[in-house]
Amino acid sequence: MAGSAAASLTILLSQLLTNCKKSTIRRGRYGMSEPTLSSPVTLLDRTLWFGEIRLQDNEITVSGWTWTGPFQRRIPIRKIMVFETWAGGKGDNYFRMIVDGGNPVRGQIGSGIGLWEMRIEADGRVDLKRQHRRHGCTVSLRHGGGW
């Protein structure tokens, strides 16, 4: 019984990975801009397999697979009020996007949190706030101080 369940799970994951690769190929064909930054991501409010967060010229896209199939959420940069990060030890890098008129997006960036902070800061359209776990204060780069 356990062997057949493991085999079924292996087949399901293989199909998901194949479909994920196909959707990546399709994205390029339909003219979406190439991401300037891309990282693996997990979301705190839902199960997300093969999650990816991408920064494009005018939007941030979170995509992956859920229990019900493919998932994609596009957030226009102009709607993001705050991009907040909590960088900790290895693999302990969390973020929250506060979106105007929508639910916040909360998750964990698998790698490259410093690159995300650098790009968001350089862009200037979104308020970047860094929360440092050791010191417990938030630093807002746009407003120039801890609060």
Side-chain angles (χ1 to χ4, degrees), residues 40-92:
V41 71
T42 56
L43 296 177
L44 298 182
D45 62 345
R46 71 172 57 224
T47 300
L48 188 68
W49 293 291
F50 309 109
E52 182 182 27
I53 184 168
R54 292 182 309 276
L55 174 63
Q56 280 129 340
D57 292 336
N58 292 312
E59 69 183 16
I60 292 178
T61 305
V62 177
S63 62
W65 288 86
T66 65
W67 287 107
T68 58
F71 169 83
Q72 184 175 59
R73 181 167 178 196
R74 292 177 162 178
I75 304 127
I77 297 286
R78 70 180 187 285
K79 294 236 178 200
I80 301 172
M81 298 167 50
V82 177
F83 191 94
E84 194 169 11
T85 62
W86 288 266
K90 184 177 180 182
D92 194 19

Side-chain angles (χ1 to χ4, degrees), residues 135-147:
H135 304 294
C137 75
T138 301
V139 177
S140 172
L141 296 175
R142 182 173 292 167
H143 298 104
W147 53 277

Side-chain angles (χ1 to χ4, degrees), residues 85-110:
T85 62
W86 288 266
K90 184 177 180 182
D92 194 19
N93 302 312
Y94 293 91
F95 74 95
R96 177 174 60 184
M97 281 186 279
I98 300 175
V99 181
D100 185 22
N103 293 328
V105 178
R106 297 176 303 124
Q108 185 174 10
I109 294 180

